[in-house]
């Protein structure tokens, strides 16, 4: 049964048509990936589903009891709210009461006698709203996502704030979960964690992503938004690509036949006297209709055309590192006795969690940072082009033209001179858009400006630090193709697993505790060769800079305090690092009730397993069989949570 349906839905922003009479239905259990070019209207369609944006025409039907949760594209604020506050806020007024109750309890446990009076008041308010079951739900979600309950958002990295946002969405127990670019600000480790969470979610999911590995792993259905219309495909991304290719070829064939017929009719009407003599007014009306149809055709947006301005050959040796170690005053080693030789033409990928030290090692290789120990030998005739993930090389007040041209009217690519506007059109910028201040451009457009600036300069060593952020799939695939033809050396930092597999020939992996190892091939090859993240990998929240301070390896919003470097992996869900000698009344009560709850669940699981072991069980109606199997899975999942919680409380 459908959870939500769009009928003949239309939406326009000015002259731009985002939705043109589309029909869409989302059903329980579906994981629908919404794909399309940047600016096609994907985020707007999500807002239509939630009711935040009203249609210009058509209708939206939702199940009367439908609960929708949305994970926003932007990260939650790095403010002083606690994790518990943010997660419980998903429950609106009841959540506010629960957050207040939680903070008062902390004060009571610290010996604040005045808090007892406030505790009684809040308990009564929670009783009136019958919200105690919601408290259990908040704590269960926080525990399941391994979140530090009492840490503030300002103390967490971007990846952990993304987890908190997901917990806030899940706490309402939604029927439909909407995810808008959920991998933004996440490293590979966190992306893999997110995959598992979404796969375990029992409701329907609609998500937007340009991460092709995530798309292939999660999607049961693909919906492509293209020029106001949608293509529906039930299946994975690989099979969708074949389907789309057939659809586009059929569209081209149809348009070619239509244009040929239109040209023939235009020749006929221009015969003048002969055409009027025939008095074929029906044919004239048909021609007018064909002209109208042709004028309303929305052509497929062109693909970016990217050329790399190759410099002269570098020396055969690009860089040689011998037993290089890097340690900062703030903590342990980020690189421990690493040795490698980089030869001209190598295409090397750097992988590891945010803050592991990837940007630091890049600076060492380029001679911008002197390592604590070891020796570095840099090659000769190096012409470096550097793509900065923070886009610090862009002046936000200037236009794309001014940023790329740097005062020039034309740019020389190889032996050809190109006018700056013509050059930027290769990166999908119209004249007006090219003259728009960079601060007004989208994330994808800013990345294209950076690429245009990067490739306008001669180079034989490309250093790309997270170049794929916000780029649509078509531009990603074109960038892969261009890099594959590049004659120089490439050093690439990326969390996009498919991009790494398609571009690099070897991988340098940061596996925790300063361990840095080199592998042949891309990300999947690293996995096949036994690569894995070390225990410390999940704990790093930021990367020290050359001065021994701390600098996020991502947007500045990703910073985390020094005492959070060992968190959340080492803390309990309550955010307590040290063992307590005595449990609070509330925790002791919870511990006392757990054995009976576990026993009850074990009995229920045993009864279901006995049913399933009967010889004729699977001969029943399929729906009944699936219902029993699903219920057993739910009980087993709940048991795992209870067991983990029991162990946790026992260890306090």
């Amino acid at each position: 049964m459908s959870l939500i349906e769009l009928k003949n839905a239309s939406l326009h922003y000015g002259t731009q048509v985002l939705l043109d009479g589309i029909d869409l239905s989302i059903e329980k259990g579906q994981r629908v990936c919404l794909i399309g070019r940047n600016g096609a209207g994907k985020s707007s369609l999500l807002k239509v589903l939630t009711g935040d944006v009203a249609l210009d025409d058509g209708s939206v039907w939702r199940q009367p009891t439908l609960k929708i949760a949305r994970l926003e594209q932007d990260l939650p604020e790095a403010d002083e709210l606690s994790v518990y506050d943010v997660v419980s806020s998903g429950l609106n007024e009841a959540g506010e009461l629960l957050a207040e109750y939680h903070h008062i309890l902390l004060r009571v446990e610290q010996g604040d006698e005045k808090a007892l009076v406030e505790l009684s008041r809040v308990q009564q308010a929670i009783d009136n709203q019958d919200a105690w079951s919601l408290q259990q739900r908040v704590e269960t979600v926080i525990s399941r996502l391994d979140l530090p309950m009492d840490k503030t958002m300002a103390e967490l990295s971007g990846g952990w704030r993304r987890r908190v946002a997901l917990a806030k969405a899940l706490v309402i127990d939604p029927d439909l979960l909407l995810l808008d670019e959920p991998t933004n600000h996440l490293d590979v480790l966190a992306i893999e964690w997110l995959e598992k969470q979404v796969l375990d979610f029992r409701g329907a999911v609609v998500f937007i992503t340009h991460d092709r590995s995530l798309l292939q792993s999660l999607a049961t259905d693909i919906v492509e938004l293209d020029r106001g219309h949608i293509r529906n495909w039930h299946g994975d991304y690989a099979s969708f690509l074949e389907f789309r290719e057939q659809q586009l070829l059929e569209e081209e064939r149809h348009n070619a036949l239509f244009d040929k017929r239109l040209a023939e009719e235009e020749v006929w009407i221009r015969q003048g006297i002969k055409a009027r003599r025939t008095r074929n007014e029906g044919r004239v009306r048909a021609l007018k209709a064909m002209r109208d149809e042709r004028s309303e055709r929305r052509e497929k947006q062109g693909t970016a055309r990217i050329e790399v301005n190759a410099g002269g050959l570098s020396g055969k040796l690009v860089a040689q590192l011998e037993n290089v170690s890097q340690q900062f005053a703030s903590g342990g080693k980020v690189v421990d006795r690493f040795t490698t030789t980089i030869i001209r033409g190598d295409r090397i990928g750097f992988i590891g969690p945010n803050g592991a030290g990837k940007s630091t090692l890049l600076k060492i290789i380029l001679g911008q940072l002197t390592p604590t120990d070891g020796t570095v030998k840099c090659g000769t005739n190096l012409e470096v082009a550097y793509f900065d993930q923070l886009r610090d090389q862009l002046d936000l007040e200037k236009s794309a033209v001014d940023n790329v041209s740097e005062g020039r009217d034309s740019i020389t690519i190889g032996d050809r001179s190109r006018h700056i506007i013509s050059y930027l059109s290769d990166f999908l910028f119209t004249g007006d858009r090219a003259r728009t201040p960079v601060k007004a451009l989208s994330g994808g457009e800013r990345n294209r400006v950076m690429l245009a600036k990067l490739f306008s300069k001669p180079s034989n060593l490309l250093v790309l630090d997270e170049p794929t952020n916000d780029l649509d799939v078509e531009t990603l695939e074109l960038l892969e193709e261009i890099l594959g033809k590049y004659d120089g050396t490439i050093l690439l930092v990326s969390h996009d697993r498919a991009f790494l597999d398609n571009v690099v020939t070897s991988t340098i992996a940061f596996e925790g505790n300063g361990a840095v190892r080199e592998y042949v091939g891309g990300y999947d090859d690293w996995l096949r060769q036994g690569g894995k993240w070390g225990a410390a990998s999940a704990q790093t929240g930021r990367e020290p800079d050359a001065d021994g301070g701390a600098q996020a390896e991502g947007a500045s919003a990703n910073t985390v305090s020094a005492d959070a470097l060992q968190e959340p992996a080492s803390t309990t869900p309550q955010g307590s690092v040290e063992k307590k000698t005595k449990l609070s009344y509330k925790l002791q009560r919870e511990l006392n009730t757990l054995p009976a709850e576990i026993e009850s669940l074990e009995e229920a699981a045993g009864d279901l397993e006995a049913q399933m072991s009967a010889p004729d069980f699977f001969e029943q109606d399929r729906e009944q069989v699936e219902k029993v199997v699903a219920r057993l899975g739910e009980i087993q999942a709940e048991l795992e949570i209870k067991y983990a919680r029991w162990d946790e409380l026992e260890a306090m």
Side-chain angles (χ1 to χ4, degrees), residues 215-413:
L215 198 167
Q216 179 67 19
S217 298
L218 293 183
T220 61
D221 297 83
I222 311 285
V223 173
E224 182 179 37
L225 186 55
D226 180 19
R227 292 164 286 171
H229 300 287
I230 62 172
R231 291 188 190 90
N232 268 308
W233 178 251
H234 179 64
D236 63 10
Y237 182 59
S239 59
F240 167 77
L241 291 177
E242 297 178 7
F243 162 73
R244 182 176 63 180
E245 187 66 23
Q246 294 171 356
Q247 292 283 301
L248 290 175
L249 287 173
E250 178 61 26
E251 179 184 332
E252 289 178 8
R253 188 186 68 81
H254 171 79
N255 288 343
L257 290 173
F258 180 91
D259 291 345
K260 181 181 178 181
R261 185 181 168 206
L262 176 59
E264 291 171 349
E265 293 300 289
E266 293 288 2
V267 170
W268 170 79
I269 197 66
R270 285 181 174 83
Q271 290 176 354
I273 299 290
K274 182 180 177 181
R276 285 197 292 274
R277 277 179 187 165
T278 62
R279 297 186 179 276
N280 192 343
E281 294 180 3
R283 190 172 178 181
V284 173
R285 286 195 299 272
L287 173 58
K288 183 179 183 303
M290 289 178 72
R291 286 172 174 171
D292 292 341
E293 182 180 344
R294 181 62 183 87
S295 67
E296 292 173 1
R297 182 191 299 171
R298 289 190 288 275
E299 301 288 354
K300 190 176 188 300
Q301 184 182 3
T303 301
R305 299 183 297 276
I306 301 175
E307 293 181 73
V308 179
N309 199 356
L313 286 178
S314 68
K316 184 175 181 180
L317 177 70
V318 174
Q320 188 172 45
L321 281 64
E322 291 283 347
N323 291 318
V324 165
S325 296
Q326 183 62 48
Q327 183 171 2
F328 296 105
S330 58
K333 290 183 178 179
V334 292
V335 180
D336 187 14
R337 292 170 295 175
F338 177 60
T339 297
T340 189
T341 300
I342 301 174
I343 303 298
R344 182 179 67 225
D346 283 348
R347 297 199 294 272
I348 301 174
F350 292 70
I351 63 173
N354 286 337
K358 301 184 294 296
S359 294
T360 295
L361 183 57
L362 273 180
K363 292 175 184 177
I364 291 173
I365 291 172
L366 297 175
Q368 299 174 357
L369 179 64
T370 302
T372 308
D373 294 301
T375 60
V376 179
K377 181 180 179 182
C378 292
T380 57
N381 300 325
L382 293 179
E383 296 179 80
V384 181
Y386 193 99
F387 184 99
D388 176 18
Q389 64 167 318
L390 300 181
R391 308 186 187 101
D392 285 343
Q393 298 172 42
L394 296 180
D395 187 332
L396 300 183
E397 300 301 323
K398 292 183 178 180
S399 67
V401 168
D402 293 334
N403 270 283
V404 175
S405 69
E406 297 178 338
R408 299 169 290 177
D409 289 330
S410 60
I411 290 175
T412 301
I413 305 293

Side-chain angles (χ1 to χ4, degrees), residues 521-565:
Y523 182 81
D524 284 346
D525 296 305
W526 170 71
L527 290 176
R528 281 193 290 269
Q529 294 170 70
K532 58 183 179 180
W533 307 117
S537 296
Q539 299 174 5
T540 54
R542 61 180 181 174
E543 177 174 314
D545 60 22
D547 300 321
Q551 177 179 338
E553 189 184 64
S556 58
N558 286 356
T559 55
V560 63
S561 65
D563 61 355
L565 285 173

Side-chain angles (χ1 to χ4, degrees), residues 174 181 195 271 336 457 503 530 533 536 563-564 574 588 646:
E181 291 289 356
E195 275 184 19
Q271 290 176 354
D336 187 14
K457 300 175 181 178
V503 171
W533 307 117
D563 61 355
Q574 283 72 31
Q588 186 61 55
W646 192 13

Side-chain angles (χ1 to χ4, degrees), residues 587-596:
L587 293 179
Q588 186 61 55
R589 183 179 60 184
E590 182 183 355
L591 177 61
N592 292 341
T593 59
L594 273 173

